Amino acid sequence: MTTTDRPGSALQRRPVRMLDHVWIPLSDGTRLAARLWLPEDADAHPVPAILEYIPYRKNDATARRDMARQSQLAEHGYAAARVDLRGSGDSDGLLLDEYLQQELDDACEVIAWLAAQPWCTGAVGMTGISWGGFNALQVAALRPPALKAIISVCSTDDRYADDVHYHGGCVVGSDMLPWASHMLAWGARPPDPANVGDRWREAWLERLDVDPFVETWLAHQRRDAYWKHASVCEDLDALDCAVYMVGGWDDAYRDAVLRVLAGYHGPRKGLIGPWGHVYPDTGAPGAPIDFTGEAVRFWDHWLKGVDTGIMDEPTLRVFLRETVDDPPARTERVGVWVTEPSWPSASVSLQRWGLRPDSGLAPGGASPARGDGGAVRHRILGSQTAGLEAGAYMGGGVVEDLAGDQRREDGLSLCYTSTPLAAPLTILGEAEVELDLAVDRPLALVAVRLCEVTPTGASRLVARGLANLTHRHSHEHPEPMTPGERTVVTVSLSAVGHTFSTGSRIRVAVSPTYWPWAWPSPEPVTLSLVPSGSALVLPVRASRKGEERPRFVLADHDPQVQLTGGGHRQVTHDWITGRSAVTAWLDGDRVVLPGGLELTESWRDVFSIVEGDPLSAQVRCERVSRLARGDWRIRVEAVATMSADATAFRITNELDAYEGDTRVAIRRWHREIPRDHV
C-alpha cells in the first residue's frame, strides 16, 4: 500500500533539465516530435525511460499537464518522454485514424530509440490516460524488447465493445460524432513554426485534407477485423510485461481493469477509485491520491529492480462507494477502500434476484423459463426522451457530467423494486440482467439501469448496460428479431463497486430507448417483458475478517477545484415542436503557455429528438480552436452533423481554416452509410 514511509526513490528528488523539442528519427525518414525531461546527471548516471505517446500536441493542448507530471517522474530518476504521434503536433506525416498499425510500429521504434540513448539504462516503461492508455496496451502486445512495464489509465482492451463508438452493439450517439469532431478540429491545427520552420504551412494544408474519422467508424457497425485490430482482448497473454490497470467508477472504461486482471497471466495490478476520466491525483469527484508516488513504486520495481513491496500487495484495490441522500454533486464520494488478493475474487459470489409480476424484486429468482404462455407480461412503448438525463458517457467526474436523480428516467421504464434492505449489501464486479422479452419490430435495443432508491425516494444510478437485440448472439453476425417472439437476452451492466445501504431498495429499470447514449431504432418499439422469466444477477462481495484496507497518500491539491470542469450541460423541452435536447458546451477555454503561445478552444454539442419519432434524432457538433503567438494567428472551425432515415446514417463535416483573418481552406464532406442491424 502507498504510505508516507514507502521505500525507494519515491522520497528522492533529483534536479531536472527539459529538452523542449527533440526529433526522433524513424526508419522511413519520418521524424516524431518529442519533449524530454531528464535528471541533470542522467548522462553520467543513466536512468530508465518512460514514454507517453499521444496525438494531443505537446506544445499546446497538454503542455501544462505534461510540465507537472513528466517533471515529477524525472525528479524521481526517470527520463520522461512525451512524444506526438505521426501527423499530430509538430511530428511529420498524417494522422489518418486511431491505433493504426503504423502508429504502433512507430512506437516500437521510439522505444528502441529511447533505450539506445546514452542517458538511458535500456529499460523503458510506457504510460498514459485514454489514448495513451490504449496504445500502451497495444504496443505491449507487440513485445518491443526494451519495454518492461506499462501503466494504463482509463483505457480498454476491446475497441468495439468498450469505447466511444459502440456499446452493446448500439451506436453511441452521445460520443461517436463528438469525439470525431474533436479529432477533426485538433488534427487540423498546424505544427508550430517555432519548431518546424517555414514548412509549417505546407504540412498544415496536408492535414486539412484528412478525412473525418467518423466515416470509417460508422462504416464498421459490427465487430469485424477493423475493431479486432489492436483489441488486446483477442490475446491478453501477448502483453508479456508487467501491467498496471487504473480506472474510475465514473469513467466509461472501468470494465477493462477487471477483464485484464482476470484474463492476463503475467504480472499485473489493478486500481479503481471514485473518479471519472481523469488521473487519480486529480481524482474528481472525490478521494484524489498521490498517483505519482504510486506509479514510482511500480516503475522502481520493474525498471530499476528496487524492492518497493508493491508486487507483494493485493492484486486489486478498489473504492466501494455508498449512496447518500445528498445531491450527487458532492465534493467527495462516500465509501471505503478495500483489497482483493486476486481477481476473480473468492469473496465474490453470484446472487440471483427475480423480477416479479407485481413489479417487485426479490432474492432467489429462478432461471428464465420458456413456454409459459400464460405468464404475466409487462409492456412499454419506448419514449424517445428516455435517457436525456443520463449524464455524460465519458464523464470527467465533474458536476456537469454526472447523472442525477433517476426518477424521471424510471418513469419512462419498466421498473422492478425490492423491499427495503435489512442489512447493507455490497457488490463488486459486473452485474447481469436476464430478460425474457419480446419486441414488435425486427430492429430493437434494450437499456437496463441498476439503481439504489434511498429512504427518501431518490433514485441514484449504480450501473447500466445497453444491448442491441440484433446482436444477442454475436457482435459479428447480427440477426433481426422476430416480432412477437419471446427470447431470453442477457445484458451485462458496467462494472461497479457499491454498497446498498440498510433501508434502501434495489431497482432494475428496463427501456427500449436511451437517447442520446444509444442511437434509436428506426421505428418506435414496444417491449414486452415476462418478469417471471427474468432475473438480476448480482456479484455480491462478502467482507473478509481482518481484511487489509489500503491507506493512500492524498494528492497535493484541494479536490474542490475539480467540482466543475468549466463546461455546461442543459436539458430542454420545446412544448410547441415536441423536440427535446441535451446541450453540452465549453466557452472559450484559454491557455497561455511559456514562450507566448496562446491556445483557445470552445465547443458545443446538441443532441435532439422529437417524442414519438426516432428518425428525428440529430447530433450537431461545433468546434473552434485558436492558436496565436505575436502576429501568427490560426483559427480552425469545424461543424459536424449526424442523422438517419430508416435505412442509412447521414454525416456531414465542414472545416474552415484561417490564417489571421484570411480563410485559407474550406473542406466539406458528406457521407451516407447504410444502417447495419441498428
Side-chain angles (χ1 to χ4, degrees), residues 329-639:
R330 55 185 293 118
T331 60
E332 292 281 344
R333 284 296 191 235
V334 175
V336 297
W337 287 99
V338 299
T339 62
E340 294 292 347
S342 60
W343 190 265
S345 169
S347 301
V348 176
S349 59
L350 300 181
Q351 185 180 105
R352 297 180 67 84
W353 289 62
L355 279 59
R356 298 169 54 93
D358 63 359
S359 297
L361 181 70
S367 297
R370 297 175 182 268
D372 50 344
V376 171
R377 299 189 184 200
H378 295 157
R379 292 180 174 83
I380 185 170
L381 172 63
S383 167
Q384 301 305 321
T385 61
L388 287 180
E389 298 178 20
Y393 182 85
M394 186 61 63
V398 291
V399 171
E400 57 266 28
D401 290 346
L402 299 178
D405 194 326
Q406 296 290 288
R407 279 179 281 193
R408 180 189 176 279
E409 302 289 351
D410 293 349
L412 300 175
S413 309
L414 295 174
C415 290
Y416 301 87
T417 309
S418 74
T419 58
L421 297 175
L425 179 69
T426 297
I427 59 174
L428 178 59
E430 293 185 10
E432 293 183 341
V433 179
E434 299 166 353
L435 299 175
D436 184 345
L437 58 77
V439 291
D440 65 344
R441 296 289 184 267
L443 304 181
L445 64 90
V446 64
V448 180
R449 290 174 296 112
L450 176 65
C451 298
E452 178 172 355
V453 182
T454 70
T456 64
S459 181
R460 303 298 189 198
L461 185 68
V462 175
R464 54 191 153 192
L466 300 172
N468 179 342
L469 295 178
T470 71
H471 289 228
R472 61 197 180 279
H473 301 307
S474 167
H475 287 312
E476 295 183 60
H477 307 290
E479 306 169 44
M481 295 286 284
T482 301
E485 180 177 284
R486 283 174 61 183
T487 186
V488 176
V489 175
T490 299
V491 181
S492 295
L493 307 188
S494 53
V496 65
H498 182 82
T499 297
F500 294 91
S501 301
T502 300
S504 287
R505 293 173 290 158
I506 301 173
R507 174 171 291 166
V508 172
V510 183
S511 63
T513 50
Y514 203 56
W515 172 257
W517 276 42
W519 199 273
S521 306
E523 301 176 279
V525 173
T526 296
L527 171 72
S528 299
L529 185 63
V530 179
S532 61
S534 305
L536 165 67
V537 183
L538 291 176
V540 176
R541 182 185 188 271
S543 60
R544 301 187 307 275
K545 189 173 183 179
E547 68 176 302
E548 180 182 356
R549 294 291 171 88
R551 182 163 57 94
F552 290 101
V553 175
L554 295 181
D556 234 357
H557 76 281
D558 182 356
Q560 294 192 37
V561 302
Q562 295 296 328
L563 288 181
T564 176
H568 308 271
R569 181 175 296 269
Q570 184 180 75
V571 178
T572 58
H573 305 281
D574 188 324
W575 299 110
I576 304 300
T577 65
R579 184 168 289 276
S580 299
V582 178
T583 304
W585 71 97
L586 176 69
D587 295 323
D589 186 20
R590 180 172 175 265
V591 179
V592 180
L593 300 163
L597 184 64
E598 297 183 19
L599 169 65
T600 306
E601 294 188 281
S602 60
W603 56 265
R604 181 182 181 88
D605 295 330
V606 182
F607 313 91
S608 68
I609 199 164
V610 174
E611 183 60 271
D613 182 7
L615 299 183
S616 67
Q618 297 178 0
V619 180
R620 179 181 174 87
C621 303
E622 302 170 0
R623 306 284 183 269
V624 179
S625 290
R626 294 180 173 88
L627 284 173
R629 181 192 292 112
D631 294 334
W632 184 69
R633 293 182 294 117
I634 298 297
R635 184 170 88 254
V636 173
E637 299 179 357
V639 178

Side-chain angles (χ1 to χ4, degrees), residues 87-266:
S88 69
D90 294 334
S91 292
D92 296 343
L94 297 175
L95 179 62
L96 302 177
D97 199 357
E98 300 172 316
Y99 319 123
L100 295 176
Q101 190 61 46
Q102 182 71 68
E103 172 185 334
L104 308 184
D105 292 342
D106 288 352
C108 291
E109 290 198 51
V110 170
I111 288 169
W113 183 89
L114 291 170
Q117 298 311 298
W119 37 257
C120 183
T121 62
V124 179
M126 195 169 178
T127 190
I129 184 172
S130 200
W131 193 310
F134 276 56
N135 64 25
L137 286 166
Q138 295 159 1
V139 172
L142 299 179
R143 302 186 174 189
L147 186 63
K148 308 303 181 185
I150 65 171
I151 298 179
S152 180
V153 183
C154 296
S155 71
T156 185
D157 59 332
D158 191 331
R159 294 184 56 220
Y160 179 79
D162 194 19
D163 199 359
V164 297
H165 318 101
Y166 299 92
H167 189 112
C170 300
V171 172
V172 180
S174 62
D175 276 62
M176 182 186 286
L177 186 67
W179 181 240
S181 298
H182 277 308
M183 291 309 302
L184 181 64
W186 293 342
R189 294 207 296 256
D192 191 335
N195 293 324
V196 304
D198 291 341
R199 67 183 185 87
W200 73 269
R201 185 179 285 102
E202 178 184 356
W204 183 31
L205 295 176
E206 290 177 352
R207 291 181 183 185
L208 294 174
D209 285 330
V210 173
D211 291 337
F213 295 175
V214 67
E215 296 184 351
T216 300
W217 300 340
L218 199 55
H220 297 271
Q221 294 169 39
R222 57 181 77 185
R223 194 174 191 277
D224 56 15
Y226 173 82
W227 298 112
K228 292 180 183 179
H229 163 74
S231 288
V232 299
C233 61
E234 295 289 308
D235 181 12
L236 282 170
D237 283 331
L239 296 172
D240 195 37
C241 71
V243 176
Y244 199 158
M245 297 292 295
V246 180
W249 292 129
D250 282 321
D251 181 40
Y253 296 140
R254 55 198 172 275
D255 300 6
V257 176
L258 301 183
R259 283 199 303 267
V260 172
L261 292 185
Y264 178 47
H265 296 94

Side-chain angles (χ1 to χ4, degrees), residues 13-22 34-47 66-67 70-82 113 117-120:
R13 295 289 190 272
R14 294 166 70 171
V16 172
R17 61 189 172 102
M18 183 183 74
L19 305 180
D20 187 66
H21 180 73
V22 175
R35 179 172 283 152
L36 303 178
W37 290 260
L38 305 172
E40 286 186 353
D41 60 350
D43 290 332
H45 303 283
V47 295
D66 296 342
M67 291 288 185
Q70 311 293 359
S71 62
Q72 287 177 355
L73 289 175
E75 288 176 354
H76 288 297
Y78 291 92
R82 181 41 195 91
W113 183 89
Q117 298 311 298
W119 37 257
C120 183

